[in-house]
Amino acid sequence: MKKAGIILASVLGVLLLAAWIIPTFYKDKILARVQREINNRVAADVQFSPENVNISLLRHFPNLSIQTGSLSIAGKAPFVGDTLLSAADLDVSLNLMSVLGGDKLEVKGVHLDRPRILIKRLRNGQANYDIYKPVESTEPQADTTKAAVTVNVEEWSIENGFVRYEDLSLPMKVRLENVQHTGSGSLSADISDLALKTRADRMTVTYANTEYLTDKKLDADMRLHLDLPQAIYTFTDNRITLNDLPLQLAGTVAMPDTNIRLDLTYKADDNSFKNLLSLVPGIYSEQFKDIDADGTVRFDGNVKGIYNARQFPAFVLNMLVQNGRFKYPDLPSSVENIALDVTVSNATDRLDNTVINLKKLAANLGNNPVRGRALVQGLTRSTVDADITAKLNLGELTQLFPIDSLTLRGLYDLNLKAKGLYDKTAGRFPVVNAAMKLQNGYVKSLKFPEPLENVNAVATVTNRTGRIPDTRIDIGDLRLRLAGEPFEVRGWVQNLNDYTYDLAAKGKLDLTKVTRIFPIEGTRLAGLIDADIRTSGKVSDAKAGRYDRLPASGTLAVTNLVYKGDALPQGLTLNSARFDLKPGQLAVPQMRGLLGSSAFTATGSLSNYIPFLLEENEPLRGNLTVKADKFNLNEWMTDSPTSSTATASRSIIEVPANIDFTLKADVDHAQYEAMHLDDLSGTVLVANKAVRMQNVTFNSLGGKFVTNGLYSTTDITKPGFAFDLSIQNAKLQEAFEHLTVVKALMPLAQYMFGDFTSKFQLNGLLGQDMMPQLSSLTGEGIVKVLEAQLRNNPIVDRIIERTKLNELKDSRFKDLLLEAEIDDGHVGFKPFDIKVKDYVINVSGSNGLDGSLNYILKLDVPTGRAGTAFSNAFASLTKQALPAAVDRAKIDLALGGTFKTPQVRFLASSTANQLAQQVAKPLIDEAKQRVQGEVRSRVDSLQARGEQKRAEAEARARVAADSVKAELARRRLEAEQKAKAQLRQEGAKFLDRLRKPVRKDTT
């Protein structure tokens, strides 16, 4: 026993010693390894403080724990400035041996304390969490076993987290606050089971700008089976609680390709009405646990089918409430006889075919009955059958619900009947008879002691034919008094195909007081409106400009109006403004206020305002002249106007489709980033989701600028721009410092001090961070450097290093003309000469917008001025000495590399070629004469031999001819003799035949 104790103590001692030695002596090595892997594998800006890193072997023994505080991970384009993750504390456990000597870091666990997590997907599918750099491989398929980091996470956790998910492609948003989450399982195995536990104090879900869940408490215990090769995710034994409603979720989600295949069922475990009641907005509170509630509930449904850009899965949602009732403690009245029977279903793959069947809605709010039913078949082309009635005494509602610090009074009646087809294309509208009436309304809040009182309203909606043109909305009487000031509206609108209207408004509205009673979330609205207006007519006449048919009169005065919200985060303040209502337009004789922090005055007019207010896609037209002493453009280049431009996140600014404005600007002083613009003037046109600048002029950087340009968001995923710019007598160094286009097109300007004049045009695409995509740029231009000096230029330093032409350092030159062409990410220059003292450098080639160089430099050097050092360099480059008698030497160099690290190599020297020719000329002449003599001697010899051979040939030819003649004569004689002999012989035979007697016939 004693021996076992000694062994155990020894083992513990060794472990404790290792737990001290490894973090102490290996900390720098471990941090260097981790930092290297972050740099190699993560395409994001990862920030943490190495001095605050704590390494321990005991926290997650036997794994090594690396703990750091103040971690942040920020994305790169197109998510520049978006913080994917920030945490007060990060604890990562790693396999110890993989850290000390392995080829791969093996991550075993991740634990986050107080993280803020932003998960974002753009409309084009790009996601900010896609920050892992893939392993580079030349193989057809990369071998993942060669990855430098193995993610074999077996456990993870989040404490006190905040999670925001935004998917602009759906569009959907989810916000989770005060999140506690733990997970276990294997995230790297092909097939695994995960156990997930999530708690959130508040969850909000928004789809297509409609909140379906608001600040609901979430408690979820989930089991998820992963089949990664098949991309199938199976939910088993899952229990999710929203507020007090427990739900079960089961089924599968498969994502083998771009389609999402769903087969899910869900239901409420508990049939208690109180639990369902907890989801109703405004009901759930700290007092909810004490609510006295009865009733039974059925809540279930399923989702099955394919989800993609064109299809939507079939689904069913059933909700049935019977005999429901509830009563808050300490309140005298209860809501009784609650009955609800609703089914939302779709048996097809098109969302437009959804059917909403509210079979029954009933409740008694104290003595106030609400009854209704509604059937809506189809979301775009809808068949409607609805009947809803309600009679409410608003004063009694405070006896049913805990409405803190709010007093309500008034009688409200609603009676709506609708039946028929709504089809805007076919001109169909349900037959409707609806009436709403509010008598003696009164609203008062303790937060704002002045009441909204004497509220009386009568409105009707009628349609007796089922045709859209016969629909009529009457505002018979809308009167109220706020803080003693009366306001009234009356009129009517009919024919929803071609709105015909007659509207009048009179009175004062204090928007500060209105929004205190009826707050608008995320919006600040204040100010006083004093109106007395009357207008009538038809929208078709307004569109066609038939203003004689649009009688309009009155004025609208605005004082100290303040607006700030999502649409205008920079804020608008109108200290004073007056609008005169005229046929077809709102004249603006005077307007004074602030745009952001910039004061301005404006005059002009607004037109097409009636179609703009009544129809969705009609533009608001305007013609305004704006003047300002100072204007801060930086506030309008970011979604976070309170942040500095150095840290603020820039994102695409979408130009509204329904704005058609002409703005004439006159600004004494404007600021863009750190660039000051004086005497800015010009015209800006806003229309068709684009902004055009016409003859915008300003003084800056010591010179005068004139520009025309276009910024277009017609395709928001690929915003484009085009502009031309004329610059007169500006400072090169300041232009490089402040103008992005100069940095991209002419990086050499960072080493040049002097003045320049330029004209160029450029067009291309912008990234999601509003920065130009360099590879998309095309254009051309001319730059004239009037006079400049080069300082600390690494290119010149490299030339001097190769040529020893020290006089080129910090050289001055003037009247330098550059003609450039931009295409496919490169800036090409036509050949031009740089003259420095007696030196001439001819330059041609191009540089990439990424800083790469590809130039030919032709140097014309005065040898006497260049001195001995150059002569030695010349001999080293050309392998030939430079004679003292040579006045000028020419050398061709190739310039490569980048502007920061240029590379210079020798190409050729025409001077060296000439020198070589001079040295070789006497030898060449002597050799030429010797060769010519040998050639003449050889020719003479050949000529003599030719004459002799010709004579011999002629003699041989004569002998041969005589021989042939003799032979021919002999043969002719023989032939004649032979012919004569044959003739004599034939003649003799003939004579013999004649001499023979003729034999007589004996018969």
Side-chain angles (χ1 to χ4, degrees):
M1 188 70 180
K2 182 178 180 181
K3 184 176 181 180
I6 294 173
I7 294 173
L8 179 60
S10 300
V11 171
L12 290 176
V14 170
L15 291 176
L16 289 175
L17 182 63
W20 176 75
I21 290 176
I22 291 174
T24 302
F25 291 95
Y26 286 87
K27 180 178 179 179
D28 292 340
K29 178 182 178 182
I30 293 170
L31 285 180
R33 177 76 183 278
V34 171
Q35 185 66 64
R36 183 170 68 252
E37 297 305 336
I38 289 175
N39 295 337
N40 293 339
R41 299 297 169 212
V42 179
D45 184 15
V46 180
Q47 298 289 338
F48 68 96
S49 301
E51 63 272 13
N52 295 330
V53 172
N54 180 26
I55 297 179
S56 171
L57 192 59
L58 300 178
R59 188 179 296 112
H60 298 291
F61 184 83
N63 295 317
L64 183 72
S65 170
I66 300 180
Q67 188 178 31
T68 181
S70 303
L71 170 75
S72 72
I73 302 175
K76 295 186 177 181
F79 301 101
V80 173
D82 285 344
T83 301
L84 171 63
L85 169 67
S86 63
D89 185 87
L90 168 68
D91 185 0
V92 178
S93 61
L94 304 169
N95 180 287
L96 176 62
M97 300 311 297
S98 76
V99 174
L100 295 179
D103 295 331
K104 299 179 289 186
L105 283 178
E106 187 175 354
V107 181
K108 306 293 286 186
V110 178
H111 306 275
L112 295 167
D113 181 35
R114 285 169 289 164
R116 294 183 64 86
I117 302 171
L118 169 62
I119 301 173
K120 193 172 184 179
R121 280 172 57 89
L122 302 178
R123 291 183 181 91
N124 59 8
Q126 285 184 278
N128 69 335
Y129 53 80
D130 188 12
I131 62 173
Y132 185 74
K133 296 179 182 178
V135 179
E136 295 183 1
S137 174
T138 58
E139 300 295 330
Q141 292 183 338
D143 184 0
T144 57
T145 63
K146 296 179 181 179
V149 178
T150 298
V151 180
N152 189 24
V153 178
E154 296 174 350
E155 59 178 10
W156 57 94
S157 66
I158 293 175
E159 293 185 15
N160 304 318
F162 175 87
V163 179
R164 186 156 56 99
Y165 172 79
E166 296 182 7
D167 193 334
L168 302 181
S169 64
L170 290 179
M172 181 178 181
K173 296 180 182 179
V174 179
R175 186 179 71 246
L176 299 172
E177 300 178 45
N178 197 20
V179 178
Q180 316 296 324
H181 172 81
T182 60
S184 61
S186 176
L187 295 179
S188 60
D190 286 345
I191 297 178
S192 62
D193 291 289
L194 305 184
L196 310 172
K197 293 184 179 181
T198 305
R199 312 285 184 269
D201 287 349
R202 290 172 296 278
M203 180 176 74
T204 299
V205 178
T206 303
Y207 182 82
N209 296 322
T210 299
E211 283 192 1
Y212 289 89
L213 294 175
T214 303
D215 291 338
K216 304 306 178 189
K217 186 177 180 180
L218 172 68
D219 192 341
D221 289 341
M222 305 182 70
R223 299 293 183 270
L224 184 61
H225 179 75
L226 303 183
D227 185 347
L228 296 181
Q230 301 297 323
I232 298 176
Y233 310 90
T234 304
F235 295 89
T236 60
D237 191 21
N238 292 283
R239 298 180 181 274
I240 302 171
T241 302
L242 292 175
N243 281 350
D244 277 15
L245 179 66
L247 299 171
Q248 278 191 354
L249 175 67
T252 61
V253 177
M255 295 185 288
D257 46 36
T258 57
N259 296 315
I260 301 176
R261 302 176 186 275
L262 302 167
D263 189 356
L264 299 171
T265 61
Y266 55 90
K267 65 178 181 178
D269 286 341
D270 197 318
N271 61 357
S272 168
F273 173 65
K274 181 178 179 180
N275 293 336
L276 178 64
L277 194 65
S278 71
L279 297 185
V280 178
I283 295 291
Y284 193 78
S285 65
E286 292 182 359
Q287 300 178 351
F288 183 79
K289 63 181 181 299
D290 298 323
I291 287 180
D292 178 20
D294 293 313
T296 60
V297 170
R298 175 195 171 197
F299 183 86
D300 58 37
N302 62 73
V303 180
K304 188 172 184 177
I306 296 175
Y307 175 79
N308 56 35
R310 297 176 301 277
Q311 292 177 270
F312 201 89
F315 62 89
V316 174
L317 183 151
N318 298 306
M319 186 184 300
L320 177 65
V321 177
Q322 293 177 315
N323 302 317
R325 62 171 296 277
F326 68 90
K327 180 180 179 299
Y328 275 92
D330 304 326
L331 291 179
S333 299
S334 61
V335 179
E336 303 281 349
N337 301 322
I338 302 171
L340 177 66
D341 187 357
V342 60
T343 298
V344 182
S345 62
N346 190 331
T348 72
D349 61 359
R350 291 180 56 81
L351 188 60
D352 279 350
N353 296 330
T354 299
V355 176
I356 303 171
N357 189 1
L358 177 61
K359 304 166 192 174
K360 185 177 183 180
L361 170 64
N364 292 333
L365 282 67
N367 296 317
N368 303 291
V370 177
R371 302 287 185 270
R373 63 172 180 80
L375 175 64
V376 179
Q377 297 174 289
L379 301 182
T380 303
R381 188 178 187 273
S382 307
T383 300
V384 178
D385 187 358
D387 187 350
I388 299 174
T389 61
K391 287 183 176 294
L392 302 177
N393 184 331
L394 300 182
E396 295 182 6
L397 295 182
T398 57
Q399 301 177 19
L400 299 168
F401 305 98
I403 307 175
D404 296 334
S405 68
L406 186 65
T407 302
L408 296 174
R409 288 199 296 268
L411 298 176
Y412 177 80
D413 288 351
L414 172 66
N415 195 319
L416 182 151
K417 290 182 174 60
K419 188 171 184 178
L421 175 67
Y422 173 77
D423 188 340
K424 187 174 183 180
T425 304
R428 303 297 299 170
F429 197 87
V431 174
V432 175
N433 187 4
M436 184 277 292
K437 186 176 182 179
L438 176 62
Q439 293 176 288
N440 299 319
Y442 180 93
V443 181
K444 183 178 180 180
S445 171
L446 291 180
K447 297 179 181 179
F448 186 70
E450 295 187 70
L452 180 65
E453 56 188 344
N454 295 338
V455 183
N456 291 273
V458 177
T460 61
V461 180
T462 57
N463 186 305
R464 295 182 176 86
T465 66
R467 298 173 61 250
I468 287 181
D470 295 330
T471 304
R472 180 180 173 104
I473 304 169
D474 280 284
I475 305 173
D477 189 16
L478 172 58
R479 290 178 287 114
L480 58 88
R481 185 178 294 272
L482 178 60
E485 296 286 354
F487 191 84
E488 61 182 74
V489 177
R490 64 184 184 278
W492 50 265
V493 177
Q494 68 179 26
N495 188 0
L496 303 185
N497 277 340
D498 182 10
Y499 290 100
T500 304
Y501 55 89
D502 189 340
L503 301 169
K506 184 177 181 180
K508 295 181 179 180
L509 277 181
D510 190 328
L511 298 177
T512 305
K513 299 173 181 178
V514 171
T515 53
R516 285 180 182 176
I517 299 172
F518 305 107
I520 305 173
E521 185 178 356
T523 300
R524 181 190 174 197
L525 186 61
L528 182 64
I529 295 178
D530 188 352
D532 186 0
I533 57 175
R534 174 74 182 268
T535 181
S536 62
K538 289 184 178 181
V539 168
S540 59
D541 290 332
K543 291 180 181 180
R546 295 186 285 265
Y547 301 131
D548 57 319
R549 302 182 186 180
L550 302 170
S553 61
T555 60
L556 184 69
V558 177
T559 306
N560 296 327
L561 184 143
V562 176
Y563 171 80
K564 180 178 286 188
D566 293 339
L568 194 67
Q570 294 81 1
L572 169 66
T573 299
L574 293 181
N575 299 323
S576 65
R578 191 176 90 246
F579 302 90
D580 294 338
L581 189 62
K582 298 180 179 180
Q585 70 169 237
L586 276 173
V588 187
Q590 64 91 11
M591 182 186 294
R592 182 171 57 86
L594 296 171
L595 270 172
S597 62
S598 304
F600 75 96
T601 61
T603 59
S605 64
L606 303 176
S607 61
N608 205 53
Y609 60 94
I610 292 294
F612 173 77
L613 293 174
L614 295 180
E615 294 194 358
E616 184 176 352
N617 297 319
E618 280 296 314
L620 175 64
R621 299 189 178 95
N623 195 324
L624 296 175
T625 298
V626 181
K627 295 184 178 182
D629 294 332
K630 296 181 179 180
F631 200 88
N632 186 1
L633 291 168
N634 293 330
E635 293 179 317
W636 304 88
M637 300 302 295
T638 173
D639 291 333
S640 303
T642 57
S643 303
S644 67
T645 56
T647 59
S649 169
R650 290 188 177 184
S651 58
I652 292 300
I653 302 171
E654 186 170 7
V655 181
N658 58 347
I659 296 296
D660 187 349
F661 267 38
T662 299
L663 302 175
K664 295 182 179 179
D666 189 352
V667 180
D668 292 340
H669 178 79
Q671 184 160 351
Y672 172 67
E673 295 186 341
M675 184 176 171
H676 298 280
L677 317 178
D678 297 321
D679 299 328
L680 188 150
S681 65
T683 301
V684 178
L685 307 177
V686 182
N688 301 321
K689 303 187 73 173
V691 177
R692 295 179 183 274
M693 297 182 296
Q694 292 183 346
N695 198 35
V696 176
T697 65
F698 57 88
N699 297 326
S700 186
L701 311 180
K704 182 175 182 179
F705 290 67
V706 181
T707 184
N708 296 276
L710 168 70
Y711 167 66
S712 174
T713 58
T714 303
D715 183 352
I716 190 61
T717 64
K718 296 180 179 179
F721 72 95
F723 69 91
D724 60 76
L725 179 63
S726 173
I727 306 174
Q728 296 289 330
N729 301 322
K731 301 295 183 184
L732 279 163
Q733 188 67 199
E734 294 183 26
F736 177 83
E737 180 180 353
H738 296 294
L739 297 179
T740 301
V741 67
V742 173
K743 290 181 181 179
L745 303 184
M746 194 178 173
L748 193 61
Q750 63 187 300
Y751 310 110
M752 300 172 70
F753 295 80
D755 299 334
F756 77 104
T757 293
S758 176
K759 288 185 179 181
F760 62 85
Q761 59 183 18
L762 192 66
N763 62 77
L765 300 176
L766 295 171
Q768 295 296 316
D769 58 354
M770 287 292 287
M771 297 301 291
Q773 295 182 353
L774 299 182
S775 61
S776 71
L777 299 183
T778 59
E780 59 185 5
I782 296 176
V783 179
K784 184 176 183 180
V785 180
L786 304 177
E787 187 171 0
Q789 182 180 15
L790 280 173
R791 299 178 190 170
N792 302 320
N793 186 343
I795 295 176
V796 174
D797 291 343
R798 290 293 292 155
I799 294 174
I800 293 174
E801 181 182 330
R802 296 302 304 272
T803 64
K804 310 305 180 186
L805 297 173
N806 293 319
E807 281 195 301
L808 296 181
K809 190 172 185 63
D810 297 338
S811 54
R812 294 179 178 273
F813 51 87
K814 62 180 180 178
D815 296 333
L816 177 63
L817 185 64
L818 311 178
E819 296 183 59
E821 184 174 348
I822 305 102
D823 187 26
D824 193 26
H826 289 80
V827 183
F829 290 93
K830 293 183 179 180
F832 61 92
D833 289 337
I834 301 176
K835 297 181 180 179
V836 180
K837 299 176 182 177
D838 291 338
Y839 300 86
V840 179
I841 304 175
N842 181 267
V843 182
S844 62
S846 66
N847 58 261
L849 297 176
D850 57 358
S852 59
L853 302 172
N854 184 18
Y855 284 94
I856 301 298
L857 309 179
K858 296 183 177 182
L859 280 67
D860 188 343
V861 180
T863 55
R865 184 167 191 153
T868 305
F870 170 73
S871 298
N872 294 335
F874 181 91
S876 175
L877 292 172
T878 65
K879 311 304 180 186
Q880 184 172 335
L882 180 64
V886 176
D887 294 334
R888 303 190 71 86
K890 295 182 179 181
I891 295 178
D892 297 347
L893 303 176
L895 174 62
T898 67
F899 279 96
K900 295 293 185 182
T901 57
Q903 299 175 0
V904 176
R905 62 184 178 86
F906 173 72
L907 284 181
S909 172
S910 58
T911 302
N913 294 338
Q914 292 174 0
L915 291 174
Q917 291 176 2
Q918 292 174 5
V919 171
K921 190 174 186 304
L923 297 175
I924 293 172
D925 290 343
E926 181 182 351
K928 183 178 178 181
Q929 292 175 0
R930 185 169 59 251
V931 169
Q932 288 176 346
E934 291 178 356
V935 168
R936 283 196 297 271
S937 175
R938 183 66 173 168
V939 168
D940 292 343
S941 175
L942 290 175
Q943 286 178 345
R945 291 180 58 188
E947 290 294 337
Q948 179 181 357
K949 288 183 178 181
R950 185 167 56 251
E952 293 176 352
E954 288 177 353
R956 286 196 297 271
R958 284 195 297 272
V959 171
D962 292 342
S963 175
V964 170
K965 287 180 182 180
E967 180 64 21
L968 289 175
R970 182 183 65 77
R971 290 183 179 181
R972 186 169 54 252
L973 180 59
E974 288 180 354
E976 289 177 354
Q977 292 176 350
K978 186 176 182 180
K980 289 179 180 179
Q982 187 175 2
L983 182 59
R984 285 194 298 269
Q985 188 176 15
E986 289 298 329
K989 290 180 179 180
F990 179 73
L991 292 177
D992 287 342
R993 284 197 298 269
L994 291 177
R995 294 189 185 105
K996 287 181 180 182
V998 178
R999 188 178 63 176
K1000 296 181 180 179
D1001 191 353
T1002 57
T1003 59

